[in-house]
Amino acid sequence: IKKIGVLTSGGDSPGMNAAIRSVVRTCAYHNIECIGIYRGYQGMIEGDFKEMGPRSVNNIVNKGGTILKSARSLDFKTTEGRKKAHQNLVNAGIDALVVIGGDGTFTGAEIFNNEFGYPVMGIPGTIDNDIYGTSHTLGYDTALNTVVECIDKIRDTASSHNRLFFVEVMGRDAGHIALNAGIGAGAEEILIPEEDLGLERLLESLQKSKASGKSSSIVVVSEGDKIGKNVFELKEYVEEHMPEYDVRVSVLGHMQRGGSPSCFDRVLASRLGVKAVESILEGKSNFMVGLYQDKVTLTPLEQAIKGSSKIDKELLRVSDIMST
Ligand code: F6P
């Protein structure tokens, strides 16, 4: 292996830049050339490459987003597109790839590896934390802190006006952000896709909370929850059934994906980047580097994509007790 390519793909997440920096500098440390590929797989198809050295990643460890840009490439889903991408890598003399992203990114890498026998290594980068084989994905910790900070602010105004707030958070089909940020911010109720609370229990819970003397409430709603109503419909439903509540909605949206990465995400990114490059140099391929019991480990990409959800049921119980 003489030359390694690195790209970021799918939704960006805080810590991606720190991971790029780690990959580039680990390559330099081992005297390997490193090529940055812009806009994920789309840039691979279009040959949008740039040589990177240790100085091209100065002052990015603290930056949100990704300097390599990101995209969700439709062309890479076609055999034609992947053939073009492979040819571009061969022409540029790139021997292996490090892909930073979520399950869509890993699925693309796995198909690419199966089709061309091309060495790939994945680094989990998504705020959703919905990847099996790692306790944390890059950006998740930062997103949690962002969400908690926002809900703290919402709580100030909620309590001043004796209001109930439905706060919608990201996470796609996973409830990690909602559950953990909800507990961290002291939410009265948390709706996640992994557990369908049901509308009646939601009302019961709100009634109980009112009867216990609480004058304001925060309900954190994961965007993928299964209650069957979006936050605006939930507002209407509660207003209809409990007119005593003054209800407001706040959808946090993409602010959850931005911002300077937390120290945890920066350290994680640095560790995962080193392991990704060194694993390639050891001849390994088709794995994801991740964190398991504070050790950096390898999980086959296929498992990382298809593995089961890792919601901790004990956290649900903790959340119930805390809302007493
Ligand atoms: O996967 C990260 C994520 O932010 C999800 O939480 C969310 O569902 C999705 O991406 C939003 O995608 P987009 O930025 O394309 O709207």
Side-chain angles (χ1 to χ4, degrees), residues 16 25 31 40 62 73 87 106 122 177 179 188 198 201 204-205 211 234 240 243 251 258-259 267 285 309:
M16 280 187 163
R25 290 196 174 163
N31 293 315
N62 57 333
S73 172
Q87 199 50 52
F106 291 170
I177 296 180
L179 184 55
E188 272 61 51
R201 274 185 54 208
E204 264 170 41
S205 162
L234 279 175
E240 197 180 304
V251 178
V267 175
S285 169
S309 163

Side-chain angles (χ1 to χ4, degrees), residues 31-49:
N31 293 315
I32 304 287
E33 280 182 68
C34 189
I35 303 295
I37 300 168
Y38 283 93
R39 293 174 294 121
Y41 294 125
Q42 197 57 34
M44 215 159 106
I45 294 170
E46 293 171 20
D48 197 357
F49 301 162

Side-chain angles (χ1 to χ4, degrees), residues 11-12 72 126-128 130 170-173 177 223 254 257:
D12 63 328
R72 290 189 170 112
T126 164
I127 61 165
D128 301 334
D130 57 349
M170 280 186 168
R172 226 166 20 145
D173 302 321
I177 296 180
E223 63 176 345
H254 285 78
R257 286 233 299 258

Side-chain angles (χ1 to χ4, degrees), residues 72-145:
R72 290 189 170 112
S73 172
L74 291 178
D75 293 343
F76 198 70
K77 291 190 174 164
T78 66
T79 322
E80 189 96 331
R82 291 193 297 273
K83 267 193 195 152
K84 231 172 168 179
H86 181 249
Q87 199 50 52
N88 283 336
L89 292 181
V90 172
N91 292 347
I94 301 172
D95 306 307
L97 264 186
V98 176
V99 300
I100 308 170
D103 64 348
T105 306
F106 291 170
T107 303
E110 226 228 328
I111 294 172
F112 196 67
N113 172 269
N114 291 341
E115 269 175 357
F116 303 102
Y118 196 89
V120 294
M121 196 59 66
I123 295 181
T126 164
I127 61 165
D128 301 334
N129 204 30
D130 57 349
I131 303 284
Y132 178 81
T134 186
S135 59
H136 291 74
T137 54
L138 289 181
Y140 171 57
D141 181 68
T142 306
L144 284 182
N145 287 307

